[in-house]
Each structure stands twice: as structure tokens, then as C-alpha cells.
Amino acid sequence: MQEKEIENTKRAKLRQEKPLVYDKVIKIAERHQQGIATPIIDIAYNYACNLKCQHCTAARFAKKERKLTPSDLKKLSDEADALGLCQFCLSGGEPLIFKDLDEVIKAMQPDKFHLAMSTNGHFMTPEMARHLKTLGVDKVKISLDDYDEKRHNENRNSEGAYQKAINAMLNAKAAGLSVVIQTVVTHQNCRTDRLIQMAKFAQENDFTVDVLVARATGAWEGKHEVLIDEADAEFLRKAHEQYPVLHRDTFPSYGINKGCGCVDSTLHVTQYGDVTPCVYIPIAIGNIFEESLADIIKRGQSIKCFQKYSSLCLSGEDREFINKYMSKSYGKPLPINWTEAFDEEDFAK
């Protein structure tokens, strides 16, 4: 199945299951041409997790007294809907251990948004998968660090993690959920047969592989040797041509070649309400407890480096951005405030 065919199939399903969301999705290309942001908002509702993975960044975030609640998510959802936004992704931590998970999902108003969930899959039983579908979740993104079982288990510090992830994918598919395999690609593991094998597995099962290129943040802070290079990026492009289910953030989507989509196509909200341009840029451009979502997006769009098109992932490939801005967060509680990262000259007049 080719990429356009895959996208059309997804839209047909969305149109049938969530017509209100479909009506917003089909306007994304037009909004992009007009310079109107339509970000997918990733929400790290709670950093609680059952695993201790080697690359986890959660421990680096500064703890604050006020944390997200379902009522905060309802307010955010209302604001996002008023702005014409149409997609949320619930992350953590591990969402399937959240005690108020049902309340959280309902607060995000599933009838108005395409809802995805990032999970390690440990608790994705057939019953849980069906329950999520009933609540209005559309897609699950299940982490698979490597197609080699031993490597995945070692990175997750959990024996059996690999098989649980595979079982989770099959359980989710059986429940009618869309399935995405999330895998982190470093310079060291990019050009391997194992990634191709993962793509083949995904294609055979109607899954998608979401490639997350490594960033020098969290446990890898300052370790620029993990970043992919041009040869790695070219390998991913060619693999995508052969296996359209293999995708990454800078590849075209919705028929648009947006490049790096910070602010315009993606935002991240931490457990403490801070909003960052993407999951991997630890620079807060506002806080939903203090400002409206509209004002935060407006500030983000006024920052020059987020205005211009970039074929490179700013936080994972653009060495100039990494050295000039990302490095300012090194050794500090995360996220740092936008005033610490950007000077007056970084903003459009």
C-alpha cells in the first residue's frame, strides 16, 4: 500500500467514526498555507511509569506544586477546539497506570479530537484495548526500541518487555485501534537490517513505524554522538520509499511538506503545564496555567527559528539550533523558560 493510499484509508475511517474531527483534519493543508498553526498536542499528563528505560527524560523535569488535572485538560480541550485543532496524544510516564485514566480521556473530548496514546504496552490486554476504543481513543503508539528482543529488553530494563509490546500491538489491532510502533533511532543503530525488519513487520500487519530520531537531551544530554547524520537521514528516506509505513517527523504528511513542525504542527504540555515547541525541545514558551493556548502559540510563532521552513529536525539534526539553543538547557532543571533561551533578536519584529 502506497503512502497516499494509506492516508486515504485512515481518513475514510476517521470520517466514519468521528465526523467532527474529520471536518477539521481536511482543513489542515489550507490552514498551513495561511500560516495558521494546527499542532498535534502531546500531553505528558503524569510522569509515573512502571519501567526505568535508559533513555527516559522524565527525571530531568523540575517538580512543581501544581500538576495537570482532568479539569485542566477540559479547559485546554475547549481552547484547542476553538482554535480548530484536532489531535491530542496522551503520554507520560505510562498512561495505562494512571488511576484517573478514564476521566482524563473523557476530559479531552474524544468526539472533537483524534486521540492517540503513547504506551510501553505492558498493560495493553485485549480487555484494555477494547475499553480504550470504547472511550474514544483512536490510535496507540507502542514503544519498540529494537526489533531484536534482547536489545529492547535491556534498554527497558525489563525481561519480557519485547513480547509484551508485540502482544499489545496485536491486541490493539484486534480492538480496532490504529497501531503505531514508536522507535528511537540513533547514529549507532540507524543503518541496520533490524530497522528494515521492523518496517516489514509493520507493513505485514498494517501498522506504522514512527521513527523518533535521537536528541541529546535527558539521559543523552550533551551526547551529540547519538545524533543522526546526513547518511543516516538518507537511509531513512530510502527506507521510507521502499516501506511507506516507515515515517518520521520531517517527512511530508497530509500532503504537505512541512519539514520540522515545531509550534505549527506539534506542541508538548508537561505534567506541570509548561508548553514546549515539541516533546524534545526543553524550552517552555508558556504555561497553560498562566496564559491562553492562543497566546502561547502566538509567542511560539513569533520566534524566527520556528517560522522558517527547515528540512532538518531542529532538536535532532540541526547542529546550529542544538548548539545555540538546546545547549542552554544543559545541566539545568527542565524545561528552561523561553527568556533564558531566546534573545530579542530571535523574535520577529
Side-chain angles (χ1 to χ4, degrees):
M1 188 180 291
Q2 297 302 306
E3 187 172 9
K4 188 173 182 180
E5 189 178 352
I6 294 171
E7 181 62 31
N8 288 339
T9 300
K10 291 179 180 178
R11 291 196 180 197
K13 181 182 180 183
L14 182 63
R15 186 175 190 176
Q16 180 179 8
E17 296 182 354
K18 294 187 176 182
L20 293 178
V21 182
Y22 173 81
D23 288 342
K24 291 192 284 187
V25 167
I26 61 174
K27 296 176 183 176
I28 290 178
E30 179 183 352
R31 288 169 62 95
H32 178 70
Q33 291 178 345
Q34 297 172 351
I36 303 172
T38 314
I40 298 171
I41 302 180
D42 180 89
I43 302 171
Y45 180 73
N46 192 307
Y47 293 131
C49 188
N50 60 302
L51 296 180
K52 294 182 179 180
C53 305
Q54 292 182 17
H55 60 274
C56 184
T57 62
R60 288 295 317 282
F61 281 83
K63 295 182 180 180
K64 298 180 182 180
E65 185 174 345
R66 184 171 179 182
K67 302 175 183 178
L68 292 175
T69 65
S71 61
D72 294 321
L73 294 189
K74 174 60 167 60
K75 180 176 180 294
L76 177 66
S77 177
D78 285 337
E79 292 185 34
D81 184 52
L83 293 172
L85 308 190
C86 52
Q87 298 181 81
F88 285 131
C89 180
L90 179 63
S91 63
E94 171 48 51
L96 293 184
I97 68 171
F98 297 167
K99 294 180 179 179
D100 54 354
L101 178 61
D102 287 18
E103 193 177 354
V104 166
I105 292 174
K106 291 174 183 177
M108 297 165 73
Q109 303 186 80
D111 61 318
K112 298 179 182 178
F113 293 88
H114 182 274
L115 294 188
M117 175 188 291
S118 292
T119 171
N120 58 42
H122 265 53
F123 306 105
M124 186 67 72
T125 62
E127 295 76 18
M128 175 58 77
R130 290 193 293 269
H131 182 61
L132 292 177
K133 181 67 176 178
T134 301
L135 288 174
V137 175
D138 301 283
K139 176 193 297 181
V140 289
K141 300 180 177 183
I142 299 170
S143 301
L144 194 65
D145 301 327
D146 200 290
Y147 200 61
D148 178 86
E149 183 171 0
K150 182 179 179 181
R151 293 171 191 264
H152 176 82
N153 289 344
E154 287 177 349
N155 188 59
R156 295 274 152 174
N157 291 308
S158 174
E159 192 66 31
Y162 179 91
Q163 192 57 53
K164 287 184 178 180
I166 297 296
N167 291 343
M169 296 172 200
L170 299 177
N171 291 339
K173 178 182 178 181
L177 294 164
S178 297
V179 176
V180 175
I181 300 172
Q182 285 193 316
T183 192
V184 176
V185 169
T186 67
H187 174 62
Q188 288 72 28
N189 73 5
C190 181
R191 285 175 274 168
T192 66
D193 289 339
R194 301 192 307 278
L195 184 60
I196 299 302
Q197 290 168 358
M198 187 185 294
K200 288 180 179 179
F201 169 74
Q203 194 152 292
E204 290 168 358
N205 287 278
D206 295 324
F207 301 158
T208 301
V209 178
D210 189 3
V211 171
L212 308 175
V213 299
R215 276 79 164 185
T217 61
W220 289 337
E221 184 174 88
K223 296 181 179 179
H224 293 185
E225 63 272 17
V226 304
L227 305 177
I228 67 169
D229 59 21
E230 291 182 11
D232 297 328
E234 181 61 21
F235 176 87
L236 293 174
R237 278 191 291 270
K238 293 196 171 180
H240 170 67
E241 290 175 4
Q242 187 173 4
Y243 301 98
V245 297
L246 187 78
H247 210 271
R248 60 161 302 199
D249 51 1
T250 56
F251 288 170
S253 59
Y254 301 106
I256 314 166
N257 184 9
K258 297 176 289 189
C260 185
C262 294
V263 182
D264 280 344
S265 299
T266 179
L267 285 174
H268 176 67
V269 181
T270 73
Q271 180 180 353
Y272 308 105
D274 291 311
V275 180
T276 65
C278 86
V279 177
Y280 303 102
I281 297 180
I283 302 171
I285 56 173
N287 188 294
I288 63 169
F289 299 150
E290 302 167 358
E291 299 175 277
S292 70
L293 180 61
D295 285 343
I296 294 170
I297 291 175
K298 183 177 180 180
R299 175 179 297 119
Q301 287 192 301
S302 71
I303 299 171
K304 291 178 183 177
C305 55
F306 302 139
Q307 287 183 336
K308 59 185 181 181
Y309 171 84
S310 173
S311 62
L312 301 177
C313 168
L314 292 179
S315 59
E317 293 177 276
D318 190 326
R319 268 51 173 188
E320 181 178 352
F321 180 88
I322 294 167
N323 291 328
K324 186 174 182 180
Y325 301 110
M326 298 277 286
S327 63
K328 293 182 180 179
S329 69
Y330 292 172
K332 299 178 181 178
L334 302 179
I336 62 172
N337 189 270
W338 59 272
T339 56
E340 297 179 66
F342 303 111
D343 298 324
E344 186 176 345
E345 62 183 20
D346 292 314
F347 288 82
K349 301 297 183 182

